[in-house]
Amino acid sequence: MERDDLIVNDQYSMDAHHSEEAGKKIRKKIWIVTLILTVITAFEVALGVFFKRADTYTWESIKITFIILTLVKAAYIVMSFMHLGDERKNLRNIILVPYAIFAIYLIFIGLTEGIFTETIRGLFR
Amino acid sequence: MSGEATKPVDKSILWGGGRSPFSVSYGKMMMWFFLVSDALTFSGLLVAYGLTRHAESEPWTIGEQAFNAFPGIDASLPLAYVAMMTFILIVSSVTMVLSVEAGHRNDHKGVAKWLGLTIIGGFFFLGSQAWEWNHFIHGGGGAFQVNEEMSVTGTDPDGEAMSLTLSTGDRVHFEHHYGNELYEVLHHNSGPATEASIHGSHDSGHGDAHGAEGELSAMTMDELGAPGTLIINKYVEDEMHVEGPEALKLWNSRVENSFVFGANMHENEYGPQSYANFFFFITGFHGFHVFSGVLINIIVFLMVIKGVFKRRGHYEMVEKVGLYWHFVDLVWVFVFTFFYLI
């Protein structure tokens, strides 16, 4: 397999340049991403305002929707605005994979511990 | 956009091994590593918030209830202001990415223009956050907790009659505007006259005995004769509005000293104390990131104006500070979800 950490022909990404035409395309993409992020935010606020918080499946599913939409927004920001989607695959992986492993574990252990604490407090109330 | 290279590189700037791992410069890679560590910091804080929230049995603060004010508009607009803040930050992220794009075309003026707009957006966000904190600290209508289990009747938002059973410690909110006067009475005139006037009727004549204090109390009592609208929001139910004698009954059965107006590190009108503490810490920490981001942007903006990068032949520095700026936006997306929406 070809290594992708070599600089081919002594070329280097620091001087990344693109033409006027390529620029037009990129700007169009930027504005589309802007529109997506704005619409998602507006949709989230509308969901929060129009649905009352009730301890029902509706509110539970809205909460999950919020989290999914947040992750979608985060993906657009990281991949498009931060250009991680344009970087080498290996760079992407050394940034995202260790973070994801740690964060998922942390969320799992934190929430488990929190729910357990609440249960125990309830027993002794 | 990156990865497309056009110019041979001077060997002296390559990494020690004579090549650049992953085809990125040392500076950009280290910025990414810093951002990963910073992301872990924020993850730790947000998970701590999640743990505390799950460990709490009292109903959590409701974002739509605590953040429903908008400067200059005297109406309840839930989440409108914070949605606007989010939009401002997203737009400033967009102007930043446009600045980076202009840099890739060596469009000197474009870089300066978009970076300047990004800085303005940053200041707008910081100002909005200051206002948001000010509103949160100064409170809405005030709230108190009841000291015994009781059944209360009132109306739901559509005006239909409904009743609720409150348990000890449940929180009752005053509708907007009442908090200020009650706060005056309870915190600045805490003598016996205040107690009497709150509990009794304002015709009882104590105003003569206590002069100005009595007057202030009597004035508030006028309001308290029918203490405005109380709002009970047990979060598993729809909100219930309570007025008249029912409201007075609630007020008189409050836990002593449980009337709270606004939020700070010791009390929180809107719910559990830990919400306020985490709110101040995490949004404050994020605000500090925005603040330092604006400072760094200003420095790079001045360098752009002076033509430093024009001489250097590339605008990679703009790209690096751009990464930091987008990261700040990224964190806000999560803060917005977990503090305001859920």
Side-chain angles (χ1 to χ4, degrees):
Chain A
M1 207 168 84
E2 200 190 35
R3 291 181 59 181
D4 69 359
D5 63 340
L6 304 175
I7 294 179
V8 183
N9 302 331
D10 269 353
Q11 289 185 340
Y12 197 33
S13 73
M14 187 152 79
D15 289 52
H17 287 299
H18 57 245
S19 65
E20 199 57 51
E21 263 158 56
K24 247 181 207 163
K25 250 181 160 174
I26 291 165
R27 282 198 295 275
K28 199 181 160 199
K29 198 187 150 203
I30 292 170
W31 287 115
I32 289 172
V33 174
T34 311
L35 189 71
I36 293 171
L37 292 177
T38 309
V39 167
I40 292 179
T41 305
F43 181 66
E44 282 179 331
V45 171
L47 273 186
V49 172
F50 289 120
F51 284 91
K52 289 283 170 195
R53 278 154 209 249
D55 198 10
T56 60
Y57 292 115
T58 320
W59 184 251
E60 287 298 311
S61 51
I62 287 173
K63 275 207 262 192
I64 291 166
T65 314
F66 281 150
I67 293 173
I68 291 169
L69 290 178
T70 303
L71 291 175
V72 170
K73 280 204 282 188
Y76 270 110
I77 291 171
V78 174
M79 290 302 170
S80 176
F81 285 179
M82 295 170 99
H83 302 317
L84 196 59
D86 303 321
E87 301 285 3
R88 292 284 175 93
K89 205 175 94 199
N90 281 4
L91 179 65
R92 210 151 64 208
N93 289 343
I94 61 160
I95 289 167
L96 294 181
V97 174
Y99 173 76
I101 291 173
F102 189 80
I104 290 168
Y105 176 68
L106 191 66
I107 292 165
F108 163 72
I109 208 75
L111 297 193
T112 310
E113 195 72 14
I115 293 165
F116 178 73
T117 309
E118 208 269 333
T119 317
I120 294 298
R121 279 183 186 166
L123 289 179
F124 292 96
R125 197 170 288 123
Chain B
M1 278 174 241
S2 334
E4 278 299 316
T6 51
K7 216 171 94 185
V9 201
D10 180 15
K11 288 279 183 200
S12 66
I13 63 163
L14 292 178
W15 292 39
R19 55 177 61 130
S20 273
F22 310 114
S23 268
V24 289
S25 69
Y26 178 81
K28 206 159 128 183
M29 183 121 131
M30 290 306 130
M31 178 53 93
W32 268 111
F33 284 180
F34 165 68
L35 293 184
V36 169
S37 74
D38 215 11
L40 288 172
T41 307
F42 272 106
S43 309
L45 291 172
L46 284 172
V47 168
Y49 168 80
L51 191 157
T52 312
R53 179 173 181 166
H54 280 89
E56 176 65 61
S57 48
E58 199 193 331
W60 202 246
T61 299
I62 296 174
E64 291 94 69
Q65 203 174 57
F67 304 99
N68 63 356
F70 203 94
I73 300 175
D74 191 19
S76 170
L77 295 169
L79 298 182
Y81 191 69
V82 72
M84 190 202 71
M85 280 169 70
T86 308
F87 183 68
I88 289 173
L89 205 57
I90 287 175
V91 168
S92 84
S93 221
V94 173
T95 54
M96 178 51 101
V97 82
L98 287 169
S99 176
V100 172
E101 191 273 333
H104 285 153
R105 285 182 287 110
N106 275 335
D107 175 3
H108 180 74
K109 274 189 182 157
V111 174
K113 178 180 84 178
W114 292 117
L115 194 55
L117 287 174
T118 307
I119 292 166
I120 293 171
F123 274 121
F124 263 99
F125 182 82
L126 284 174
S128 309
Q129 206 169 31
W131 190 88
E132 182 88 335
W133 271 46
N134 186 51
H135 168 73
F136 189 63
I137 291 168
H138 283 103
F144 60 88
Q145 288 168 296
V146 294
N147 67 0
E148 57 188 354
E149 189 171 304
M150 66 168 90
S151 191
V152 194
T153 54
T155 54
D156 70 6
D158 301 325
E160 302 282 325
M162 73 183 278
S163 69
L164 259 184
T165 304
L166 299 181
S167 36
T168 310
D170 274 353
R171 212 171 280 268
V172 178
H173 298 267
F174 271 91
E175 207 187 29
H176 198 45
H177 293 318
Y178 282 91
N180 250 323
E181 286 169 23
L182 286 170
Y183 183 77
E184 287 292 316
V185 172
L186 293 173
H187 281 75
H188 299 299
N189 302 293
S190 52
T194 310
E195 275 298 302
S197 65
I198 292 289
H199 285 289
S201 128
H202 75 103
D203 297 327
S204 61
H206 57 261
D208 297 327
H210 292 278
E213 282 184 11
E215 265 176 46
L216 181 60
S217 307
M219 186 190 79
T220 312
M221 238 357 253
D222 276 339
E223 312 270 27
L224 269 181
T229 309
L230 297 175
I231 297 169
I232 301 164
N233 201 326
K234 283 191 73 178
Y235 109 110
V236 288
E237 309 280 346
D238 275 0
E239 63 182 33
M240 180 170 88
H241 295 250
V242 183
E243 287 173 15
E246 281 291 278
L248 202 58
K249 180 180 104 188
L250 270 176
W251 171 251
N252 287 334
S253 67
R254 73 188 191 282
V255 178
E256 207 176 343
N257 294 328
S258 75
F259 179 75
V260 173
F261 180 53
N264 51 46
M265 299 307 275
H266 309 293
E267 50 188 29
N268 174 17
E269 166 188 339
Y270 306 101
Q273 183 56 48
S274 31
Y275 178 88
N277 295 359
F278 273 107
F279 178 85
F280 287 124
F281 192 87
I282 295 182
T283 64
F285 195 52
H286 173 265
F288 184 65
H289 273 75
V290 178
F291 175 70
S292 42
V294 169
L295 283 188
I296 296 166
N297 284 352
I298 289 175
I299 293 169
V300 172
F301 179 73
L302 293 177
M303 287 166 87
V304 171
I305 295 288
K306 283 173 74 182
V308 176
F309 305 122
K310 206 176 191 175
R311 284 193 295 280
R312 203 177 280 178
H314 61 83
Y315 288 83
E316 206 214 23
M317 190 59 84
V318 178
E319 208 170 323
K320 280 186 280 196
V321 297
L323 283 179
Y324 181 70
W325 190 253
H326 296 312
F327 173 75
V328 164
D329 183 26
L330 181 68
V331 170
W332 181 255
V333 164
F334 285 92
V335 170
F336 176 63
T337 301
F338 293 116
F339 276 91
Y340 297 92
L341 290 178
I342 291 188

